[in-house]
Amino acid sequence: MKMKKYTADTMVQAMQQVRKDFGDEAVILSSTIVQPKGLLGMFRKKRVEVVAGFDEPAVLKESGLPSADEMVQSATSGPDPSLEELKQDMREVKLLLKAAKKSSSFDQYPDSMQPLLDRLTAQELKPELVRTAADRIFSRMKEEKTDFTEAEQRQIIKELLKEELADLPFGGVNLKKKYVNVLGPTGVGKTTTIAKIAARSLIENKRKVGFITTDTYRIAAIEQLRTYANLLQAPVEVAYTADDFRQALEKLADKDIVFIDTAGRNYKELKFVDDLKQLIDFNLEMETYLVLAATTKESDMRAIAEQFGEFPIGQFIFTKLDETESIGPVYNMVTDFQKGIAYMTDGQEVPEDLEEATVGNLLTLLLEEGADA
């Protein structure tokens, strides 16, 4: 067997070199990731080292080594330790190749960077953003010719993420506008969220509040809102039609803020979106928020946001943050749709489990470290 060692930046490049020399019949005997040696080795990319082999009949004849057929015959007449050893090596190589496919795509960065990059990947932050963060850290490390602690790496990533969020609105309701309209699919906790925001407005900001519900599909939803409203000693109006909605506005004319609770429906169906347009007057002095559950798959959150795209949504509200380990999709939604966050909720208690969103507390959740905005 003719053997040759190859070193390349990636396994794909190494395999291309192997195929060029030996063709598709080549056998990979070993595959390892190697770190360049020397004082500055940690600042150089890790490389892939592959040992490949190929049985060439002409070479075997010239060398006097036994042919493949002779090896098989020898194996049938009795165990050949060298052949068994080769089979074991091949099994190990297959395992190595499988492991290589599953290995991190950040192997070219120093080991000191791996824990934080793994953290961001596990958080489901966009891969291209993780790569940008990794490149920025690595570039700074090379410039300063030193390794960085994890805290220093976090600070660099924090600076990058804050740059992306710099122009987006964060924070709660604008008390200068009278109507607060909350949209979202079923099951995300819109009614409870409205009650939390209303309670804060009443208790902390001394505003007179009222409620309108257009969720006439579920009796339980109306009763839930009535329960919260009774605790706050605030009136509730139910709007079945556009005329009902206009009358409700008139009845609540003396209130400082009116919270509008919309029906939780499957908004993949355009009919429900059209019904909402006909029912609510979006030309009012109104703030509109889209409520999404942090436990929802990112692809589904995107579909919901796109369906609501024709409404004047100013900010997101994210609920159920206490029920997920992945904050990355929340960050991805904010940057991709260029909408900030008004509130984040992490429980059912009214009004306690409601946090006015800031860039700082979002990044704290994402990076799991105490940091001020």
Side-chain angles (χ1 to χ4, degrees), residues 123-141:
Q123 283 285 348
E124 299 180 36
L125 198 64
K126 287 183 293 187
E128 58 269 29
L129 185 54
V130 180
R131 177 75 60 185
T132 299
D135 287 341
R136 180 173 291 197
I137 295 171
F138 193 41
S139 177
R140 292 270 294 273
M141 288 169 67

Side-chain angles (χ1 to χ4, degrees), residues 350-367:
V350 177
E352 291 82 3
D353 297 331
L354 176 77
E355 184 174 13
E356 196 166 312
T358 66
V359 170
N361 57 27
L362 174 60
L363 298 186
T364 294
L365 289 171
L366 187 65
L367 298 171

